[in-house]
Amino acid sequence: MDPVRNPISRGALVLLRAGAVVAAALACLQPVLAGAFLQGHYSMLAAHRMSGMLFALALLPTLLAALVLWRGGRGPGRPALFAALALVLCAAQIVLGFTRDLVVHVPLGAVLLYLVVRIVLLSWAKQPVARYAGVPA
């Protein structure tokens, strides 16, 4: 089947874009919530924890869509690689947060933000992802 006319690739691109944007928004929210907690708003720690869990959940459909585009739609593999790496690092991030290992937790958060922003940029670029899915960027 022609990848340009493949409705599965189109749907995967839409899911990749949506998942990446949601994940990036949640990643941007994390330091705000942590800062509010440090400022004395102690309920924000629970919000930070919940937002971190939602971030991990947002990475799942992002990874799935990136894999479908890469393997099924013959698209580039970088979004899938970045999404897989982000999901693994997010799991480590959650563990580090619960163990309060902040020396690694804080910089790893910056790495995760970088990864999801890269996924957003790759998914919305005219090339190379949209060329394979037949969806205008």
Side-chain angles (χ1 to χ4, degrees):
M1 177 178 271
D2 181 12
V4 173
R5 305 208 188 285
N6 186 348
I8 293 173
S9 292
R10 266 193 224 140
L13 182 59
V14 169
L15 183 60
L16 174 64
R17 287 174 171 174
V21 167
V22 169
L26 289 167
C28 289
L29 181 62
Q30 287 297 85
V32 174
L33 295 173
F37 167 73
L38 293 173
Q39 193 69 26
H41 304 282
Y42 299 115
S43 64
M44 292 296 107
L45 184 60
H48 179 74
R49 181 185 319 119
M50 180 59 64
S51 180
M53 300 292 184
L54 291 173
F55 176 61
L57 284 175
L59 287 172
L60 290 172
T62 305
L63 175 58
L64 177 65
L67 288 171
V68 167
L69 273 174
W70 173 45
R71 301 304 292 165
R74 293 184 281 201
R78 278 191 305 167
L81 175 66
F82 290 161
L85 183 59
L87 189 58
V88 168
L89 293 178
C90 186
Q93 182 75 328
I94 290 169
V95 170
L96 291 167
F98 278 114
T99 60
R100 306 230 193 273
D101 190 357
L102 301 181
V103 171
V104 180
H105 182 78
V106 173
L108 186 54
V111 171
L112 281 165
L113 179 58
Y114 169 79
L115 284 172
V116 296
V117 168
R118 288 287 303 184
I119 297 167
V120 169
L121 292 174
L122 286 169
S123 69
W124 285 94
K126 288 187 183 205
Q127 296 292 335
V129 175
R131 174 176 61 148
Y132 295 102
V135 177

